[in-house]
Amino acid sequence: MEAYRILSLGTGKAIFFSLLGKWGQLQTLKLVGAGNISSTSLSGLGEDLTFASLTFKYFKPRTAKMPLFSNQSLYQLTMPIYMLFGDSDQLIPASKSINRLKQFAPQAKIELLPDTGHLIINQADRILKFLNLQGS
């Protein structure tokens, strides 16, 4: 239940900030982006802000509770699993998810990315490496 509360709080903030123009976009970028964004102005964010602007233009945020796999469902998974988490994620607490995966899906390869928030981008090389290892 705690994860739902945190997720709802983060989603609510993101929806609120989306109503506040460019300043709100910056605040949402801080919320879901890398945990180390501290700029109080839009200068210097360049690509990140462009990416966020496109996202806000076409993305409809989830307002319902996230589905949660039961422990039994996780335990029954037999396929390779690769999970990336950001250590500064403000929406989904990585530590709880990591602990559950380790306990109920021990085959999962888990990586905690430093200085990364909820928005995990530019990870194609990591993912391809994992997929290529599975195909070998």
Side-chain angles (χ1 to χ4, degrees), residues 1 8 36 41-42 46 49 65 67 70 78-79 81-82 84 91 97 107 109-110 112 115 118 125 132:
M1 291 297 189
S8 298
N36 59 358
S41 72
L42 300 178
L49 193 58
K65 288 183 178 180
S70 69
T78 58
M79 77 287 281
I81 300 169
Y82 185 41
L84 297 173
L91 301 178
S97 299
Q107 80 277 20
K109 177 176 171 42
I110 303 166
L112 185 62
D115 300 320
H118 185 72
D125 289 341
N132 286 332

Side-chain angles (χ1 to χ4, degrees), residues 7 10 27 37 52 61 79 82 108 119 124 127 133-134:
L7 182 65
Q27 300 313 307
I37 295 175
M79 77 287 281
Y82 185 41
L119 181 63
I127 295 167
L133 289 173
Q134 302 315 307

Side-chain angles (χ1 to χ4, degrees), residues 51-69:
F51 178 79
S53 293
L54 286 172
T55 300
F56 295 132
K57 184 174 180 180
Y58 298 105
F59 176 71
K60 301 292 184 239
R62 175 183 215 112
T63 55
K65 288 183 178 180
M66 289 284 291
L68 183 66
F69 285 100

Side-chain angles (χ1 to χ4, degrees), residues 31-117:
L31 179 67
V32 300
N36 59 358
I37 295 175
S38 61
S39 172
T40 56
S41 72
L42 300 178
S43 63
L45 291 179
E47 263 185 38
D48 291 338
L49 193 58
T50 301
F51 178 79
S53 293
L54 286 172
T55 300
F56 295 132
K57 184 174 180 180
Y58 298 105
F59 176 71
K60 301 292 184 239
R62 175 183 215 112
T63 55
K65 288 183 178 180
M66 289 284 291
L68 183 66
F69 285 100
S70 69
N71 294 342
Q72 181 63 28
S73 293
L74 286 174
Y75 185 72
Q76 291 175 338
L77 297 175
T78 58
M79 77 287 281
I81 300 169
Y82 185 41
M83 290 297 301
L84 297 173
F85 293 98
D87 70 346
S88 301
D89 192 330
Q90 299 296 307
L91 301 178
I92 298 175
S95 60
K96 287 185 179 184
S97 299
I98 290 170
N99 289 337
R100 282 192 73 226
L101 281 172
K102 284 181 177 178
Q103 185 175 3
F104 297 106
Q107 80 277 20
K109 177 176 171 42
I110 303 166
E111 290 192 51
L112 185 62
L113 304 175
D115 300 320
T116 304

